[in-house]
């Protein structure tokens, strides 16, 4: 009887092993449907569109289909947390698992371009073509989204989701859900927009994948209006010209220019930046004239807004940000800042509202930056805009 039981157990074990091996073989040849398959790491639904993770190192490139879990997770040999092939939350950014593929020396098959926001959505010449190159920039004025600080803070505020082994990139991105969104396309009310971001407090859902989570809706909810900046090459004299995020010529009345295809980055960024994050002080967006505070009573003939923030969106129009009937324009954080890092201080973009080549070598000397959207006047002709606390987030003069 003992021998019979032994053979029965052995047969059951063999069956289980066979089932597991069959599952691995099947999933090696295909990927599952659902949120992961729709993600940028999963394979495209038609199987031929060319996106999805596919590690080039052997045996992964021969064994696993594009988008298969085995490209990131080692079923038998994974020595790292979650059976990953590299450290998930290393002590230095250069060792980050994500940068093994999101780099100029990518382990992913095919060309993987992750250009900076100003290039991808604003039409500028890229200052970086990978995420890793942003974080390893040696420019003396460069600034980055400090991954060490991100790791500390997301564990502090969302301990039920993030722990010591969590990748700091996951504070903004869910690797199993983040979508390819470098070409936002035209507004279509019946098609949900693509987005790569997730709120840290709602990690298992995407943010910006519905029009209710767009800059257009956010601005309207605050009693204001969003208007997408010009893209590089736009002609400000024309009623219809190129705007972010898709750089297609459209009038200011279009849904795209109103922000319907731009995720609500204000809510997204403030999920963290309502708090002091490392050395970065809390942002009082609720007191900000670039945000919900209506600045129509404050002008004093200074800081006049230029196109597209005029009556008709062109250089022929008048500034309508002040006075009776004025419009409270509310900005997206990424109208001014790069999300991963910049060659400028404070992660400020090098291209703003179609104006290129902006350099900020000294903290606070933002004149070249601010004149991307504000007219030059006798108030200031060069140098500092915030070194004396005049124009900072939450000040009464910002």
């Amino acid at each position: 009887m003992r021998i019979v039981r032994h053979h029965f157990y052995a047969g059951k074990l063999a069956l289980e092993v066979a089932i597991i091996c069959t599952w691995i073989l099947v999933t090696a040849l295909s990927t599952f449907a659902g949120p992961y398959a729709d993600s940028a790491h999963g394979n495209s639904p038609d199987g031929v569109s060319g996106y999805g993770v596919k590690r080039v190192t052997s045996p992964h490139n021969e064994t696993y289909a594009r988008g298969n879990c085995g490209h990131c997770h080692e079923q038998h040999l994974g020595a790292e947390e979650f059976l990953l092939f590299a450290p998930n939350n290393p002590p230095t950014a250069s060792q980050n698992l994500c940068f093994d593929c999101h780099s100029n020396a990518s382990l992913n098959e095919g060309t993987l371009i992750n250009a900076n926001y100003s290039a991808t959505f604003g039409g500028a010449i890229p200052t970086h073509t990978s995420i890793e190159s942003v974080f390893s920039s040696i420019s003396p004025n460069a600034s980055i989204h400090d991954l060490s600080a991100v790791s500390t803070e997301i564990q502090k505020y969302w301990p039920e989701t993030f722990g010591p082994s969590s990748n700091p990139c996951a504070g903004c991105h869910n690797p199993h859900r983040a979508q390819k969104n470098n070409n936002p396309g035209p507004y279509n009310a019946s098609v949900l927009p693509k987005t790569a971001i997730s709120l840290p407090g709602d990690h298992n859902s995407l943010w910006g994948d519905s029009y209710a989570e767009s800059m257009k809706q956010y601005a309207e909810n605050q009693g204001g209006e969003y208007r997408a900046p010009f893209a590089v090459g736009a002609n400000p004299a024309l009623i219809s010209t190129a705007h972010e995020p898709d750089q297609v010529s459209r009038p200011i009345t279009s849904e795209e220019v109103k922000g319907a295809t731009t995720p609500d980055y204000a809510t997204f960024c403030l999920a963290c930046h309502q708090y002091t994050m490392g050395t970065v002080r809390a942002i009082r967006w609720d007191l900000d004239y670039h945000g919900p505070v209506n600045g129509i009573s404050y002008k004093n003939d200074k800081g006049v807004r230029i196109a597209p923030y005029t009556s008709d969106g062109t250089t022929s129009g008048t500034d309508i940000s002040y006075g009776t009937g004025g419009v409270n324009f509310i900005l997206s954080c990424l109208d001014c800042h790069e999300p991963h890092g910049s060659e400028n201080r404070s992660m400020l973009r090098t291209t703003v509202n179609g104006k290129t080549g902006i350099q900020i070598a000294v903290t606070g000397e933002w004149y070249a930056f601010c004149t991307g959207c504000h007219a030059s006047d006798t108030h200031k002709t060069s140098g500092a805009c915030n070194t004396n606390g005049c124009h900072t987030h939450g000040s009464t003069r910002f």
Side-chain angles (χ1 to χ4, degrees), residues 41 84 87-90 92-102 114 130-132 134-135 145-152 154-155 161-178 196-200 203 268 272 339-340:
H41 288 148
L84 292 165
N88 198 35
N89 187 13
T92 61
S94 61
Q95 299 172 308
N96 191 301
L97 164 76
C98 301
F99 296 158
D100 280 304
C101 289
H102 293 276
N114 295 130
S130 77
I131 306 301
E132 186 274 335
V134 175
F135 284 93
H145 224 148
D146 187 341
L147 294 182
S148 177
V150 170
S151 179
T152 298
I154 59 176
Q155 291 179 61
T161 302
F162 304 104
S165 61
S166 297
N167 193 303
C169 300
C172 294
H173 309 283
N174 183 324
H176 300 118
R177 290 182 177 266
I197 55 178
S198 294
L199 287 166
H203 183 67
F268 178 73
C272 288
H340 298 111

Side-chain angles (χ1 to χ4, degrees), residues 147-314:
L147 294 182
S148 177
V150 170
S151 179
T152 298
E153 300 302 328
I154 59 176
Q155 291 179 61
K156 176 181 177 181
Y157 291 108
W158 298 280
E160 69 283 358
T161 302
F162 304 104
S165 61
S166 297
N167 193 303
C169 300
C172 294
H173 309 283
N174 183 324
H176 300 118
R177 290 182 177 266
Q179 298 171 329
K180 182 179 179 182
N181 72 329
N182 62 317
N183 182 13
Y187 171 76
N188 185 336
S190 63
V191 178
L192 293 178
K194 300 287 187 180
T195 180
I197 55 178
S198 294
L199 287 166
D202 191 15
H203 183 67
N204 289 322
S205 300
L206 290 169
W207 179 255
D209 61 335
S210 75
Y211 293 112
E213 298 167 356
S214 68
M215 280 307 304
K216 177 179 185 287
Q217 191 60 56
Y218 172 80
E220 290 179 355
N221 290 345
Q222 302 297 323
E225 179 179 322
Y226 179 78
R227 188 170 293 179
F230 288 134
V232 173
N235 185 342
L238 300 179
I239 290 290
S240 183
T241 193
H243 289 260
E244 297 183 8
D246 59 3
Q247 305 145 56
V248 173
S249 290
R250 292 189 173 93
I252 58 173
T253 54
S254 69
E255 289 296 302
E256 294 83 357
V257 176
K258 289 181 178 180
T261 56
T262 299
D264 172 8
Y265 288 117
T267 297
F268 178 73
C269 297
L270 285 169
C272 288
H273 288 285
Q274 62 180 305
Y275 310 114
T276 294
M277 305 293 285
T279 60
V280 179
R281 65 181 178 83
I283 303 299
R284 290 299 308 271
W285 193 239
D286 58 318
L287 302 178
D288 207 300
Y289 284 117
H290 281 148
V293 177
N294 197 330
I296 62 173
S297 62
Y298 179 81
K299 182 181 180 182
N300 198 25
D301 297 321
K302 298 177 176 66
V304 174
R305 290 158 176 82
I306 60 176
Y309 307 103
T310 60
S311 53
D312 64 358
T314 75

